[in-house]
Each structure stands twice: as C-alpha cells, then as structure tokens.
Amino acid sequence: MKFLRFSDVCTSGFARDKRVFIRADLNVPQDEQGNITEDTRIRASIPAIQMALDVGAAVMVTSHLGRPTEGEFKPEDSLAPVAARMGQLMGRSIRVVADWVDGDFSVAPGELVMLENCRLNVGEKKNKPELAAKLGKLCDIFVHDAFGTAHRAEGTTYGIAETAPIACAGPLLAAEMDAISKALANPKRPLVAIVAGSKVSTKLTILQALAKNVDGLIVGGGIANTFMLAAGLKIGKSLAEPDLLGEATAVIDAMKARGAAVPIPTDVVCAKSFSPDAVATVKAATDVADDDLILDIGPETAATLAAQLKQAGTIVWNGPVGVFEFAAFENGTKTIAQAIAESSAFSIAGGGDTLAAIAKYGIEKDVGYISTGGGAFLEVLEGKTLPAFEVLARRAE
C-alpha cells in the first residue's frame, strides 16, 4: 500500500511555516457533567500534533465528538474539554475556534488551535463537494490520523484529502496501514484468524472473506455454536443461528477446498444458566444435554488451538472465544491469549471485547499490533478497501 507519510513530509523540511490540518480521533467518553472519563485517544493523537509543531508548522486539529446535529451547536458537543485536557498533557494553552469552515481565523507557525467539532459542519457526514472545497483551502498539508473513522467517507476524512494540496497519513494511521498490510496483504504463513462473537450474521462477510485467504479459521462464542450445529453436533439451548447453517457449511467447505480447516470444538464448558456463579461442567462436544448452555470451549479444544497458534506465522484476532467476563468460563479465551503472547507470529488484534481480554490478561506488549478502530478494523477483515486508504493511496501517485 503506497501512501505519503507525514513523518517524511516533516523530515524533508516541507512542513515549516505551512498550515497543517490534522484530523484526529478525539471522540472520548464523558460523564454527565462533561468531564472526560478516559483520555487514551487524546494521548494517542499528540505525537502527530507535536511532530507538526516541532518543525514550525501552523497546526489545526479537529475531530468529531458524540453525535451532534449538523448546523446546531449545543454546549455538550464542544471540543473545549478536549482542548483543555490536551493542553494539560502538552503544557500549553489551546485556543478553540468555532465556525471555522470559511477560514475566518488565524493560526501562526508554532501555534496549535482546536477547530470545533467537525460534525457540526453542514455537509460533513455526506461529504458535500462544496464543504470539501472549502476544507482543502484551509491548509497546505492534510494529515489523516484517525483510523477509527477511516471507513467513513466524510468531509474531514475524505473530501479534504481530495482537495488539499498534499494529503498524507499521520503516525497512528500509518501504523494501522502498515500492520494491516503485513497481516493480510503480505502475511507470513500459516495465517490463522480467530473470529468470535455472539452471532454469525454480524461476522458472516468477514468469515467468507477470510475463508479465501487464511490457512486456519478459529471460530468462537455463539459463532462456534452455529458451526457445531452445521457439523451435526447438539448444542442444547446455546445461542446460535440455525437459519445460517448453510452459510456456515459453505465457509467450512471453502476452507476444505483449499486444504485448510475450521476446527470444531471437541469439548466444551456448559452451564444450566447464564450467570457468573453458574456451575461449570466440562463435557465432550458429543455429550451436550438439551438444557445445557455452552459458555466456553473446553480445555482439550483450547490446548489444540493454542498449539496451532504457536505454529502460526501471522495471527488475526477478533473476539473472545467464551464468556471470559465470568471466571468459570474464561479458560478458553485466557489460553488463546497466552498462546498468542507466546507465539513468534506477527499478531494483529482488534475489537472492543478483544482489547478488554488483552488488558485482562496483561499481554499488550506481546501482541504485534493492537488496532484501535472497531468498525474500521472489521471492514478491513471483510476485505473492503477503506475510503481513507483509497484516497491517500491515490493522492500519493
């Protein structure tokens, strides 16, 4: 994937005294009083901003926050709390600019301003051409550094990339593009994907896309139950989608045709009710009773999958394989997490529950790359080309 990196633009000296427009992802959680409760995204956005300031650029940064109505400003939609927190972290004061689309504001070399919530601008969500034209005139260099929005073709993520004199990827987005390319475009084989979650329907296109590319496809959670049904096993009253058995069988057959496999659990952990204090019983996959709920893979299955992961060249992980939030049903996910940590494979992981599992088992430093964009990461796994990637690659030519 060819694209221009903002780090290279800065190293070349071109950014000095230039107006740099950075689209960051500063969509942070806030409490009812508007206080920021978690600032990871603000911290993650600072390297690109600091890179621009260090070379003497005049820096503008913007982001969406919440779900505002275009053209209707409400105090709770303001990026002012974000600017205040970023200012604390960077040891500087950051001016917030409202109604900025027409460029009626100044920004000096070495200065950083926060442009108010971009989703307040009329035409942002639908990337209206007249807005895109105005956005491109605001800067000399556009920097896309918000992977979480890379799957959306909006004014500040796509339109400006077409109309700005130069469009490039910031360090956060470049790292995602590099990791995705390494894992999916040029993977070291065997390539093993773990796709887990409650429903096949939400991950069906991902499973179909991966079945054409991976050497091993591990399914978990409710998805695994549907695959067990497709393999002729009973699953009691477990969560499953019987109407998608044909699709599950097609994925199994597609893998088989390529000499690859979808491992079906040989043992499972069952309970009679879905609760943290439910009694957990390990059973052979052939012995599930009519009133059983399958809440995790069994130890034998977990050990088999762990051995497979340790032999992999590349691992893509999206979703825990059991109800890991309950201690009695966490062994499968814990075993998978530890196997990924111990594997020499390049691993890329994404999705909210996956990140929670990585944090729970303390393996952050052992995963090759942790993707921060939920929807964007899933669309990449579906085989889609993200709008941000497409426009930056085109502009790099």
Side-chain angles (χ1 to χ4, degrees):
M1 208 180 324
K2 285 199 172 122
F3 58 94
L4 185 62
R5 296 168 191 268
F6 183 49
S7 54
D8 291 340
V9 175
C10 290
T11 304
S12 73
F14 183 80
R16 174 167 294 284
D17 297 332
K18 298 290 195 301
R19 288 166 68 95
V20 172
F21 185 113
I22 300 173
R23 174 56 159 99
D25 182 2
L26 306 171
N27 187 28
V28 290
Q30 294 170 285
D31 63 21
E32 287 173 7
Q33 286 73 47
N35 301 307
I36 293 165
T37 55
E38 211 279 324
D39 67 0
T40 302
R41 285 177 172 170
I42 298 174
R43 291 174 183 274
S45 71
I46 290 174
I49 295 166
Q50 194 61 55
M51 193 184 285
L53 291 169
D54 287 347
V55 296
V59 188
M60 303 160 269
V61 62
T62 193
S63 172
H64 68 291
L65 180 67
R67 298 178 183 275
T69 304
E70 288 186 2
E72 294 178 27
F73 176 81
K74 297 186 193 75
E76 62 265 28
D77 299 328
S78 178
L79 285 174
V82 175
R85 180 67 187 131
M86 184 180 285
Q88 286 174 345
L89 293 168
M90 296 182 74
R92 63 190 299 143
S93 91
I94 301 172
R95 179 163 55 98
V96 180
V97 180
D99 302 321
W100 48 269
V101 169
D102 291 317
D104 302 328
F105 64 95
S106 63
V107 53
E111 185 187 7
L112 166 63
V113 299
M114 177 87 64
L115 305 181
E116 194 54 277
N117 194 332
C118 58
R119 288 219 180 129
L120 289 166
N121 298 330
V122 176
E124 167 69 13
K125 289 275 283 182
K126 292 190 173 168
N127 184 28
K128 290 290 174 66
E130 53 272 29
L131 176 63
K134 287 182 176 182
L135 294 176
K137 289 182 180 137
L138 292 173
C139 61
D140 303 301
I141 302 164
F142 166 65
V143 182
H144 194 326
D145 206 32
F147 179 67
T149 66
H151 59 315
R152 303 189 189 283
E154 298 180 352
T156 57
T157 63
Y158 192 90
I160 187 173
E162 292 194 297
T163 57
I166 289 175
C168 56
L172 270 183
L173 187 67
E176 292 273 0
M177 292 169 88
D178 289 342
I180 285 163
S181 193
K182 188 173 175 182
L184 294 171
N186 309 293
K188 184 182 173 196
R189 302 278 176 175
L191 166 58
V192 179
I194 303 158
V195 180
S198 54
K199 292 185 174 180
V200 172
S201 51
T202 58
K203 302 276 178 82
L204 183 61
T205 47
I206 295 168
L207 294 166
Q208 290 167 334
L210 290 174
K212 296 172 188 157
N213 189 25
V214 300
D215 304 300
L217 182 57
I218 294 170
V219 291
I223 292 174
N225 297 338
T226 303
F227 275 78
M228 287 175 70
L229 270 183
L233 292 163
K234 289 182 178 174
I235 61 164
K237 55 180 185 177
S238 309
L239 177 70
E241 292 174 289
D243 54 330
L244 290 178
L245 292 188
E247 285 80 355
T249 303
V251 169
I252 293 170
D253 292 345
M255 291 286 288
K256 201 180 285 179
R258 295 176 43 252
V262 181
I264 303 297
T266 53
D267 62 341
V268 290
V269 185
C270 297
K272 300 300 182 188
S273 65
F274 185 86
S275 67
D277 52 2
V279 176
T281 310
V282 177
K283 294 189 171 188
T286 49
D287 294 342
V288 177
D290 290 344
D291 63 344
D292 274 336
L293 280 171
I294 300 171
L295 299 182
D296 193 14
I297 54 173
E300 179 183 276
T301 301
T304 303
L305 297 178
Q308 183 183 358
L309 291 168
K310 285 177 187 173
Q311 297 302 312
T314 307
I315 299 168
V316 177
W317 182 21
N318 175 243
V321 296
V323 187
F324 77 103
E325 299 89 347
F326 298 168
F329 308 102
E330 72 166 335
N331 182 64
T333 302
K334 187 177 185 179
T335 303
I336 294 275
Q338 287 169 340
I340 291 170
E342 291 164 16
S343 174
S344 60
F346 172 71
S347 51
I348 179 170
D353 289 341
T354 314
L355 304 194
I358 288 169
K360 182 172 184 179
Y361 304 120
I363 62 163
E364 292 94 335
K365 291 186 174 64
D366 304 307
V367 177
Y369 190 81
I370 298 173
S371 177
T372 53
F377 182 68
L378 293 180
E379 289 202 11
V380 166
L381 295 190
E382 283 180 44
K384 292 180 180 175
T385 300
L386 302 188
F389 292 14
E390 176 268 313
V391 71
L392 291 177
R394 181 157 44 86
R395 288 302 308 274
E397 292 169 4

